[in-house]
Amino acid sequence: MTVPVRKAIFPVGGLGTRFLPATKSMPKEMLPIVDKPLIQYAVEEAQEAGIEEFIFVTGRGKTAIEDHFDHAYELQTMLDSRQQSEALKVVKATIPLPGQIAYTRQQEPLGLGHAVRCARNFVGTEPVAVLLADDLILGETGCLTQMIRAYHEVGGNMLAVMEVAPEEISSYGVVDPGKQKGRIMEVRGLIEKPQTGQAPSNLAVIGRYILQPKIFEDLGRFERGAGGEIQLTDAMARQLGLQPLNGYRFEGRRFDCGNKVGFLEANIAFALDREDMREPVAHILRSFS
Ligand code: G1P
């Protein structure tokens, strides 16, 4: 019997230098796709998957995220007095139940593995999901919902994977795949940001993970990997043999919102996916061709 996944970690400490000057005084996770910040998509995906506790690993200059998931009294009072009930509903929908969100800081940028480790005391002895808000996935069923279903079949550690172009593979964690059953594949090895020609496959790790709490023991050894950082993929690879490690080939279209082109592409795709915007946006796009 697998233990249910009730908690999720959101590493949101990154500086977002690729989006300067937009991110000079605003966290990159607050950049909107159409009209919703990236981080809210990630939180909603986790809520859909049944997550009950949300652990944010933040850093300096990230308080806008905390404010976003809190009451905005002036705004709410104003919307209420003007009877703008739709807008009020949208504002209130961002607020989780009291105590559902916890914030801790990653004081130094030592890598994703280190960010995840910063959440260990909130996680305790349960399995936990990790969602990277930069990886935005558009699809019928949320990626984490799909993964949790698969996790209940196989247990252990799991990560989302997808095929990427050979020239892009060095920017990712890369999976050495074993036996496959449907969308689930055994992982025999993992390499973080392999050099050109060294990647074991074209299957890249995408920012959705389910981790067993044992991973924190490994992360506590502070072993450095690619780029001198404490890498989550390395820690997962070192757990091989101790517990199952599977990749999950999710259904849906993924956008890399950590780069400008991917971010723009996501805005277009999400706008085209909305009934109220599809026509006018398609019209504008046609005018460019
Ligand atoms: C991180 C992970 C990497 C993964 C990627 C997905 O890298 O370390 O394994 O493939 O996210 O977006 P980053 O993009 O933070 O360099």
Side-chain angles (χ1 to χ4, degrees), residues 112 132 135 171-173 192-193 205-207 209 231 233 254:
L112 179 59
L132 307 186
D135 283 326
S171 314
Y172 293 92
E192 182 66 24
K193 306 208 170 58
V205 175
I206 301 303
Y209 310 80
Q231 298 289 355
T233 38
R254 173 259 185 182

Coordinates of all heavy atoms in Angstrom, one line a residue, residues 112 132 135 171-173 192-193 205-207 209 231 233 254, ligand 1:
L112 N 18.5 23.1 -6.7 CA 17.1 22.6 -6.5 C 17.1 21.6 -5.3 O 16.1 21.6 -4.5 CB 16.6 22.0 -7.8 CG 15.2 21.4 -7.7 CD1 14.2 22.4 -7.3 CD2 14.9 20.7 -9.1
L132 N 7.7 22.6 -10.1 CA 8.4 23.8 -10.5 C 7.5 24.6 -11.4 O 7.1 24.1 -12.5 CB 9.7 23.4 -11.3 CG 10.6 22.3 -10.6 CD1 11.9 22.2 -11.5 CD2 11.0 22.8 -9.2
D135 N 7.7 25.1 -15.3 CA 7.2 24.1 -16.2 C 5.7 24.1 -16.1 O 5.1 23.7 -15.2 CB 7.7 22.7 -15.8 CG 9.2 22.5 -16.3 OD1 9.5 23.1 -17.3 OD2 9.9 21.9 -15.5
S171 N 20.2 20.9 -21.3 CA 19.7 21.8 -20.3 C 18.8 21.1 -19.3 O 18.2 21.8 -18.4 CB 18.7 22.8 -21.0 OG 19.3 23.3 -22.2
Y172 N 18.7 19.8 -19.3 CA 17.8 19.1 -18.4 C 18.5 18.0 -17.6 O 19.6 17.6 -18.0 CB 16.7 18.4 -19.3 CG 15.8 19.4 -20.0 CD1 16.1 19.8 -21.3 CD2 14.6 19.8 -19.4 CE1 15.2 20.7 -21.9 CE2 13.8 20.7 -20.0 CZ 14.1 21.1 -21.3 OH 13.2 22.0 -21.9
G173 N 17.7 17.4 -16.7 CA 18.1 16.1 -16.1 C 17.6 15.1 -17.2 O 16.6 15.3 -17.8
E192 N 22.2 14.8 -14.6 CA 21.8 16.2 -14.6 C 22.7 17.0 -15.6 O 23.9 16.9 -15.5 CB 21.9 16.8 -13.2 CG 21.5 18.3 -13.1 CD 20.0 18.5 -13.3 OE1 19.2 17.6 -13.2 OE2 19.6 19.6 -13.7
K193 N 22.0 17.6 -16.6 CA 22.7 18.4 -17.6 C 23.9 17.8 -18.2 O 25.0 18.3 -18.0 CB 23.0 19.8 -17.0 CG 21.7 20.5 -16.4 CD 21.8 22.0 -16.4 CE 20.4 22.5 -16.0 NZ 19.8 22.2 -14.7
V205 N 13.8 15.3 -17.8 CA 13.0 15.4 -16.6 C 12.3 16.8 -16.6 O 12.9 17.8 -16.9 CB 13.9 15.4 -15.3 CG1 13.1 15.7 -14.1 CG2 14.7 14.1 -15.3
I206 N 11.0 16.8 -16.4 CA 10.2 18.0 -16.3 C 9.8 18.2 -14.9 O 9.7 17.2 -14.1 CB 9.0 17.9 -17.3 CG1 9.4 17.6 -18.7 CG2 8.0 19.1 -17.2 CD1 10.3 18.6 -19.3
G207 N 9.6 19.5 -14.5 CA 9.5 19.8 -13.1 C 8.3 19.3 -12.3 O 7.6 20.1 -11.6
Y209 N 7.7 16.0 -9.5 CA 8.3 14.9 -8.8 C 7.4 14.4 -7.7 O 6.7 15.2 -7.1 CB 9.6 15.4 -8.1 CG 10.6 16.1 -9.0 CD1 10.4 17.5 -9.3 CD2 11.7 15.5 -9.6 CE1 11.3 18.2 -10.1 CE2 12.6 16.2 -10.4 CZ 12.4 17.6 -10.7 OH 13.2 18.3 -11.5
Q231 N 22.0 18.8 -6.5 CA 20.9 18.5 -7.5 C 19.9 17.5 -7.0 O 20.3 16.4 -6.5 CB 21.6 18.0 -8.8 CG 22.6 19.0 -9.5 CD 21.9 20.1 -10.1 OE1 20.6 20.2 -10.2 NE2 22.6 21.1 -10.6
T233 N 18.1 15.6 -9.0 CA 18.2 14.4 -9.8 C 19.3 13.5 -9.3 O 19.1 12.2 -9.2 CB 18.5 14.7 -11.3 OG1 19.4 15.8 -11.3 CG2 17.3 15.1 -12.0
R254 N 3.7 20.9 -22.6 CA 4.4 21.6 -21.6 C 5.1 22.8 -22.2 O 5.6 22.8 -23.3 CB 5.5 20.6 -21.1 CG 6.5 21.2 -20.1 CD 7.8 21.5 -20.8 NE 8.8 21.9 -20.0 CZ 10.0 22.3 -20.4 NH1 10.4 22.1 -21.7 NH2 10.9 22.7 -19.5
Ligands
G1P1 C1 15.7 21.7 -13.2 C2 16.2 20.3 -12.9 C3 16.3 19.4 -14.2 C4 15.0 19.5 -14.9 C5 14.5 20.9 -15.2 C6 13.1 20.9 -15.7 O1 16.7 22.4 -13.9 O2 17.4 20.3 -12.2 O3 16.7 18.1 -13.9 O4 15.1 18.8 -16.2 O5 14.5 21.6 -13.9 O6 12.6 22.2 -16.0 P1 16.7 24.0 -14.1 O7 15.7 24.3 -15.2 O8 16.3 24.6 -12.8 O9 18.1 24.3 -14.5

